Amino acid sequence: EPEVTQTPSHQVTQMGQEVILRCVPISNHLYFYWYRQILGQKVEFLVSFYNNEISEKSEIFDDQFSVERPDGSNFTLKIRSTKLEDSAMYFCASGAVADTQYFGPGTRLTVL
Amino acid sequence: GENVEQHPSTLSVQEGDSAVIKCTYSDSASNYFPWYKQELGKRPQLIIDIRSNVGEKKDQRIAVTLNKTAKHFSLHITETQPEDSAVYFCAATLWGNEKLTFGTGTRLTIIP
């Protein structure tokens, strides 16, 4: 059964540095998402992406964040200048339809 | 925006007994309600979902019920087994909105 994959599984970075989190969605899916989960808190929506553009973003997804689908398989989340409060588990998800979403294993981002 | 409340935060049941987790949502327009299971260190796994045009859906030992009038939905697990131990998240969205709003999670422990 195909699954969403994410790399790296754990990323440690210094405050102010740029990070890129990578995702490979399920191959025939058209909808792509990023969520994050701060330790001990609920999963929070960041952004959705469809037809090569952002379709919705949350208030968390400010100018420091960007997403890109650079080729037919990858979907990336970039954080330009990381802050301590960006430390969280970041989940990529994809779906063939607009609501049913399948999650990747996550990238744990630690900002020091 | 949508707000989803989930109860209880922790639940322990004897193996073989049933478990029920409840969620309420605030936006009466929401019409898609998935449930995710997250084992320690693993991805959130979609286990069952329900749309607002039905009141109940079953898949083997798990079932979800929806009460649109009261704006709540529940996950029922019967004949619980040790492998059911995990954190369970409910979520809600309006089809086409794409953004899932999650509950805070329930840590279910099955006692052998």
Side-chain angles (χ1 to χ4, degrees), chain A residues 31 33 35 93-103, chain B residues 31-34 36 46 49-52 91-102:
Chain A
Y31 297 84
Y33 312 86
Y35 291 82
S94 72
V97 294
D99 50 17
T100 309
Q101 300 178 24
Y102 298 91
F103 281 69
Chain B
N31 57 11
Y32 175 69
F33 308 94
Y36 288 85
L46 177 65
D49 55 15
I50 191 167
R51 299 180 191 278
S52 60
T93 192
L94 171 64
W95 189 92
N97 191 356
E98 303 176 31
K99 165 188 173 181
L100 287 177
T101 300
F102 281 84

Side-chain angles (χ1 to χ4, degrees), chain A residues 6 8-9 29 39 43 61-62 65 69 71 80 82-83 85 88 100 107:
Chain A
Q6 289 184 245
S9 57
H29 285 183
L39 189 62
V43 177
F61 193 89
D62 61 22
F65 290 86
R69 187 154 163 81
D71 53 42
R80 289 190 184 81
T82 50
K83 302 187 278 285
E85 53 266 38
T100 309
T107 292

Side-chain angles (χ1 to χ4, degrees), chain A residues 28-82:
Chain A
N28 63 340
H29 285 183
L30 302 175
Y31 297 84
F32 313 111
Y33 312 86
W34 285 100
Y35 291 82
R36 79 172 186 190
Q37 185 178 31
I38 295 172
L39 189 62
Q41 298 185 22
K42 66 168 70 178
V43 177
E44 300 174 290
F45 170 81
L46 292 179
V47 65
S48 58
F49 192 85
Y50 171 73
N51 201 25
N52 287 319
E53 62 182 20
I54 291 173
S55 44
E56 187 173 357
K57 59 184 180 180
S58 73
E59 60 275 9
I60 302 169
F61 193 89
D62 61 22
D63 292 344
Q64 294 299 314
F65 290 86
S66 62
V67 291
E68 195 175 44
R69 187 154 163 81
D71 53 42
S73 59
N74 291 284
F75 181 51
T76 62
L77 175 69
K78 181 191 292 186
I79 309 175
R80 289 190 184 81
S81 179
T82 50

